[in-house]
Amino acid sequence: MRRFLSLVSWTLLCCCWTAQADIFTSIGQMTDLIYTEKELVQSLKEYIKAEESKLAAVKSWANKLDVLTRVSTSDPEGYLAHPVNAYKLMKRLNTEWSELESLVLQDPSDGFISNMSVHRQYFPDEEDEKGAAKALMRLQDTYQLDSESFSKGKLPGVHSSAFLTVDDCYDMGKTAYNDADYYHAVLWMQQSLRQLDAGEEAVVSKADVLDYLSYSVYQMGDLPRAIELTRRLVAIDPSHQRAGGNLRYFERLLSKQLIELKQVYQPASEEPIQLGTYARPKDHLPERETYEALCRGEGVKMTNARRSRLFCRYRDGNRNPRLLLKPVKEEDEWDSPHIVRYLDVLSHEEIEKIKELAKPRLARATVRDPKTGVLTTANYRVSKSAWLEGEEDPVIARVNQRIEDITGLTVETAELLQVANYGVGGQYEPHYDFSRKTMHGLAPHFTAELLVPSKPVRSSRSTDQDPSSVPDSSLKIKSD
């Protein structure tokens, strides 16, 4: 399973026994957009400079002619009595005004529009924006972050001035609302309202936010608060097309519930809606709470007794000739199941070469549908991957050989070397790795996982190990 609060991590996977869509699922491809945007900004600056130059020329003309026409209109006959003035008037109106007209008709935006058209084919689409918004909500749930902290860019382990505006929070809430995810719609519409109430300027109106918020709160089953929010909406916009009808409906529904339960009306809580006000709905994954707790580092902890059973050593692969002069560094990560890590397995040059080979081929990672057996994309696996063969480059062949030397297994019956690049809120939810059986039951399963992070180094977490930093290049072996 994977979950990255850091957005910069490459992972090479090798199981030793067996277009441009979805941009948000790959940081490797998203980095290209950073440079695209920089180029567009430069193009925009050049357009502005050209417009300013054009406007300055027109303004100079206007100023010059303003002075001239003041003189000429004060005494037209006296002005034209001078033959030079008469000639220049003819020239201006016949030639120079036409030149000015041509200048005004020039469109300096052509270059910028052309540049935009070239790059637009690589732009993220609506699904990418939606996917990125859901990724933020996934991180919010996993790390139990309230919307206010998120909007101010206060994320654990991240030091940045990034923040979300009123309109950003509103759009986050709309994304959730349109997906019938009223839990997150409430959290983000409430944050949008909070920032509006604090005086932040925005394009969206307070009435629009209250419209979405009140209905989402109703969907969460909180009728008293839905009524209070709708009353506030009616006070702001008495002519709102839905507010009056919604208010009457909510009041009748609450009155009916109170009669049935033989209760008296209790005003809505004055406490603002925040993380924990409403219970998060259950989803398809029974292990969700455990999974997210592990991502927060709240899983099984390392103890002194367990640490005493973990060691570091050099391994020569049972006297493998390629490892005799340079044995690999082996480090125990966990005792049961036994997990070991091999350090400094790849050089920096090898890492960069593998990334270079993989990047053009990155495609949305797929999973096998258990019913149809067909490979398909899934929301529980958010990443892109590429597959590299040993014949493609000496580096890949060398890495494959190194894996064989270290593990004592063969890659002849293994999958190709897989390079996985996780995107915004990238994850792979809990799943079984095995997919085949031998004649005598399940085959022994070994997973060799090469961790190749980009800078700065951020590690993925094994679900069975104590959280710790991952070296620049290491090979982790787990036997089940």
Side-chain angles (χ1 to χ4, degrees), residues 18 37 50 69-70 74 103-104 106-107 122 152 154 166 175 181 234 243 256 307 312 314 320 339 347 360 365 393 443:
T18 63
E37 189 170 43
T69 53
R70 276 190 221 158
S74 64
L103 175 63
V104 171
Q106 286 179 7
D107 189 356
Y122 304 112
K152 292 179 180 178
K154 295 179 179 178
V166 168
T175 296
D181 177 6
V234 171
K256 181 181 178 181
R307 186 177 287 108
C312 297
Y314 284 103
N320 187 294
I339 303 173
S347 68
D393 192 277

Side-chain angles (χ1 to χ4, degrees), residues 51 54 101-108:
E51 285 281 20
K54 169 184 167 181
E101 181 183 24
S102 298
L103 175 63
V104 171
L105 290 175
Q106 286 179 7
D107 189 356

Side-chain angles (χ1 to χ4, degrees), residues 12 14 16 315-318 320-324 326-329 342-354 390 393-412 417 448-452 472-477:
L12 278 79
C14 177
C16 294
R315 286 290 191 191
D316 60 13
N318 292 323
N320 187 294
R322 282 177 288 270
L323 297 179
L324 284 176
K326 189 181 179 181
V328 292
K329 304 171 186 174
Y342 294 94
L343 308 178
D344 302 327
V345 172
L346 299 180
S347 68
H348 177 73
E349 290 74 18
E350 288 172 328
I351 291 171
E352 293 305 313
K353 184 62 179 179
I354 291 171
D393 192 277
V395 168
I396 307 303
R398 194 160 63 237
V399 169
N400 284 343
Q401 183 63 61
R402 202 171 298 154
I403 292 173
E404 288 188 341
D405 294 342
I406 293 172
T407 63
L409 302 172
T410 177
V411 298
E412 291 299 320
L417 195 66
E449 182 177 284
L450 281 167
L451 301 174
V452 186
D472 282 348
S473 63
S474 57
L475 176 64
K476 184 172 63 180
I477 304 295

